[in-house]
Amino acid sequence: MDKQTAFRENNGQTMRYVSTRSQSSPQTFTQAVAQGLAPDGGLYLPERLPDFSDKWRGWASLNYPELCREFLLPFVGEDFSKDELDAMTRRAYARFSVPEIAPLKSLDEKTYVLELFHGPTLAFKDFALQLLGEFYEAQIKRTHEAINVLGATSGDTGSAAIHGLLGKPGVSIFILYPDGRISPLQERQMACTGAANVFPIAIEGTFDNAQDIVKELFGERAFKEDCRLSAVNSINISRILAQCVYYFWAFLRLPESPRAAVDFVVPTGNFGNILAGWLARKMGLPIRSLRIATNQNDILHRLFTTGVYEVGKVKPSLAPSMDIQVASNFERFLYFVEGCDPTRVRAVMDAFKRTGRYVFENFSADGFCASRMDDAQIPQVIQRVYQQYGYVLDPHTACAFAETFAQDAATVVLATASPAKFPETIESAIGVHPTDPSLEALKSRPLVRVRLPANASGIASYIQRHRVR
Ligand SMILES: *Cc1c(COP(=O)(O)O)cnc(C)c1O
């Protein structure tokens, strides 16, 4: 029996979550969500993947929150009933501005765009973080214990997390971001909420510095437990699961003929969005392949084309939410590639941490391919797609339209942000100034944030002083 079969069997029992680095102490859904990162530094994964091959077709008539409920049901185990989950998914998607939640638009008969930017912060991260806000609220109600949320952002995660938790009782949220390296509008979305439980922290450094500080603070067990610290960056398992849903949604909205061979193209940074698609495929959704579309920060493109995983230097780009070099969710894929063997995962991650490089022999791309796009090409692509289809891409989504790929099948491009979040880039490419009413309203509100050095102990004492108890 191969590993995959073993992984899928054992149906009917409450789902537990295992760390990619150790087989000990599996957790329930709520525990894994509350912890974010596993105590051994690994990432949580469900101990088995449900097989939806015979089920997904039956979901065609469900609306988005209902689909989300059906998908999540086997993952939450006994933590939530179907009715509770139903109420949570309804509330989570109530703040989206279009009834379809994730509209699938067709540019021509082979090219589709799945618009994931109709949530409160106009980027795909709202799909996971609006729902995560509901999970936190349920947890706090149940335990009567406060939670302090800590995360790092290259722009969109932070604002989406903040808008998922805004004003919720019993939770404060601290978001670190690289000062001056996110767009002014992204910063306004975080720092102009007026909510007393929101603490945006601009650090003097890069996104990777911010992420390192978060990792370090989560590694300090006493501090973590004392503050009841929880992570909302892209490593939280609930985010990955919430993101699986729209792959099913999109597939169900495709006409019958393109379904026979369809590739999904995903603008990628931390590997979270596209990993969700790959998991959906593993759970029985017949996606032909998934293309990783990177910007000039191309560690994943290099890995998937050469088998060498090697950190480079972050080069700020026109698609800033993808300006990362270490893709934290890669470890989850690695776990599967290494035959679900935590010892192997630890060995690879240790070697990578020591040397900044790992060479895979016979690297298995398993359904993935990759493309990259540098900053010179992004405005050209925005221009070309606008001329060809009258459709305005944001700079992240533009990375999906790399020309090196001959289109021999239908393609679904995941549009990860609204062009209105990046008006300067759009305007200089096509002379059109995209706007959105929610962003216009922010411009007249005061900016409330602190600026701190990229230093873990300074950040820790700031959190100590401002946390909810
Ligand atoms: C976060 C983000 C990405 C990258 O998503 P990952 O899950 O990190 O791969 C791409 N585009 C936008 C607009 C984003 O906010």
Side-chain angles (χ1 to χ4, degrees):
M1 184 165 59
D2 68 2
K3 286 255 160 47
Q4 184 49 38
T5 323
F7 207 79
R8 277 190 184 177
E9 271 186 8
N10 189 25
N11 276 326
Q13 283 172 32
T14 285
M15 186 73 83
R16 292 278 186 270
Y17 291 79
V18 294
S19 162
T20 48
R21 297 199 190 175
S22 151
Q23 277 164 326
S24 65
S25 89
Q27 305 286 304
T28 65
F29 177 77
T30 340
Q31 288 166 334
V33 169
Q35 286 173 32
L37 198 67
D40 60 5
L43 308 185
Y44 284 114
L45 275 170
E47 65 184 344
R48 61 183 189 277
L49 295 181
D51 184 356
F52 293 125
S53 348
D54 300 330
K55 275 200 172 154
W56 64 266
R57 279 171 206 279
W59 293 340
S61 64
L62 303 180
N63 66 28
Y64 196 91
E66 289 166 346
L67 175 66
C68 185
R69 177 199 67 204
E70 286 308 302
F71 175 82
L72 288 178
L73 213 46
F75 290 102
V76 300
E78 285 152 12
D79 291 355
F80 299 106
S81 70
K82 187 168 176 172
D83 287 348
E84 287 173 311
L85 207 50
D86 190 68
M88 285 191 284
T89 58
R90 264 173 223 291
R91 281 197 299 268
Y93 297 105
R95 291 178 65 213
F96 280 58
S97 61
V98 296
E100 307 96 303
I101 310 298
L104 185 72
K105 303 253 165 96
S106 113
L107 299 188
D108 59 35
E109 72 275 12
K110 275 187 152 182
T111 316
Y112 296 82
V113 176
L114 180 67
E115 293 185 346
L116 299 175
F117 52 74
H118 297 286
T121 71
L122 312 182
F124 85 91
K125 294 187 173 77
D126 288 325
F127 278 83
L129 290 166
Q130 285 293 311
L131 190 64
L132 186 57
E134 296 294 328
F135 289 137
Y136 276 112
E137 196 165 351
Q139 160 97 350
I140 293 165
K141 273 192 188 138
R142 224 176 256 190
T143 61
H144 305 289
E145 285 187 303
I147 296 177
N148 287 284
V149 169
L150 171 62
T153 189
S154 55
D156 291 330
T157 310
S159 53
I162 284 170
H163 286 262
L165 295 171
L166 203 64
K168 289 203 190 292
V171 53
S172 278
I173 172 160
F174 299 85
I175 296 293
L176 273 51
Y177 62 95
D179 195 20
R181 301 211 185 175
I182 66 172
S183 86
L185 282 174
Q186 286 176 322
E187 184 170 38
R188 290 206 154 268
Q189 285 184 319
M190 293 196 279
C192 299
T193 65
N197 68 337
V198 172
F199 300 92
I201 303 171
I203 65 144
E204 297 154 10
T206 63
F207 169 64
D208 285 337
N209 296 145
Q211 205 170 30
D212 286 345
I213 293 172
V214 169
K215 279 203 176 138
E216 192 176 331
L217 294 182
F218 275 100
E220 290 175 20
R221 202 172 283 196
F223 177 73
K224 185 187 160 189
E225 281 166 15
D226 181 41
C227 291
R228 299 189 48 77
L229 222 51
S230 185
V232 286
N233 48 31
S234 68
I235 58 182
N236 198 295
I237 186 62
S238 70
R239 292 187 57 184
I240 305 292
L241 295 175
Q243 289 166 185
C244 293
V245 176
Y246 47 69
Y247 287 89
F248 287 89
W249 176 261
F251 205 97
L252 284 163
R253 258 125 217 105
L254 283 172
E256 204 53 54
S257 76
R259 281 190 195 178
V262 57
D263 300 329
F264 279 65
V265 187
V266 187
T268 304
N270 260 317
F271 205 65
N273 199 1
I274 198 162
L275 180 76
W278 186 77
L279 289 174
R281 185 173 178 266
K282 259 185 132 46
M283 291 181 236
L285 188 67
I287 295 172
R288 190 180 73 163
S289 78
L290 290 142
R291 171 150 57 88
I292 297 160
T294 75
N295 64 17
Q296 62 200 14
N297 295 294
D298 58 355
I299 181 170
L300 289 170
H301 177 252
R302 285 181 281 117
L303 170 65
F304 280 86
T305 49
T306 66
V308 181
Y309 192 50
E310 182 169 29
V311 263
K313 208 170 172 309
V314 177
K315 283 181 273 182
S317 82
L318 293 172
S321 297
M322 291 151 58
D323 287 351
I324 59 106
Q325 275 296 351
V326 182
S328 36
N329 274 295
F330 172 66
E331 184 167 336
R332 289 194 161 109
F333 176 64
L334 182 66
Y335 179 80
F336 289 99
V337 168
E338 296 294 343
C340 304
D341 178 354
T343 323
R344 286 286 312 147
V345 173
R346 273 202 300 272
V348 174
M349 293 311 292
D350 284 351
F352 178 68
K353 196 173 177 185
R354 270 199 322 276
T355 63
R357 181 180 155 95
Y358 192 87
V359 181
F360 290 90
E361 285 172 28
N362 311 318
F363 183 70
S364 153
D366 196 1
F368 284 114
C369 58
S371 63
R372 85 185 280 279
M373 190 174 288
D374 59 35
D375 263 17
Q377 295 166 287
I378 289 177
Q380 292 170 9
V381 167
I382 294 173
Q383 210 171 63
R384 173 167 59 83
V385 170
Y386 185 61
Q387 278 162 3
Q388 200 173 344
Y389 301 112
Y391 190 84
V392 182
L393 298 172
D394 96 285
H396 302 82
T397 310
C399 294
F401 286 77
E403 263 175 343
T404 44
F405 277 78
Q407 213 182 349
D408 63 340
T411 300
V412 176
V413 169
L414 269 53
T416 53
S418 160
K421 287 189 98 166
F422 306 94
E424 295 82 9
T425 307
I426 308 300
E427 178 139 28
S428 72
I430 57 174
V432 170
H433 189 89
T435 58
D436 185 276
S438 73
L439 295 177
E440 293 309 304
L442 290 175
K443 290 181 181 165
S444 56
R445 300 228 198 116
L447 206 67
V448 182
R449 49 160 241 178
V450 290
R451 187 165 189 270
L452 295 174
N455 162 313
S457 66
I459 307 282
S461 73
Y462 180 82
I463 294 173
Q464 279 291 9
R465 275 179 279 128
H466 294 92
R467 70 198 181 91
V468 62
R469 282 162 200 278

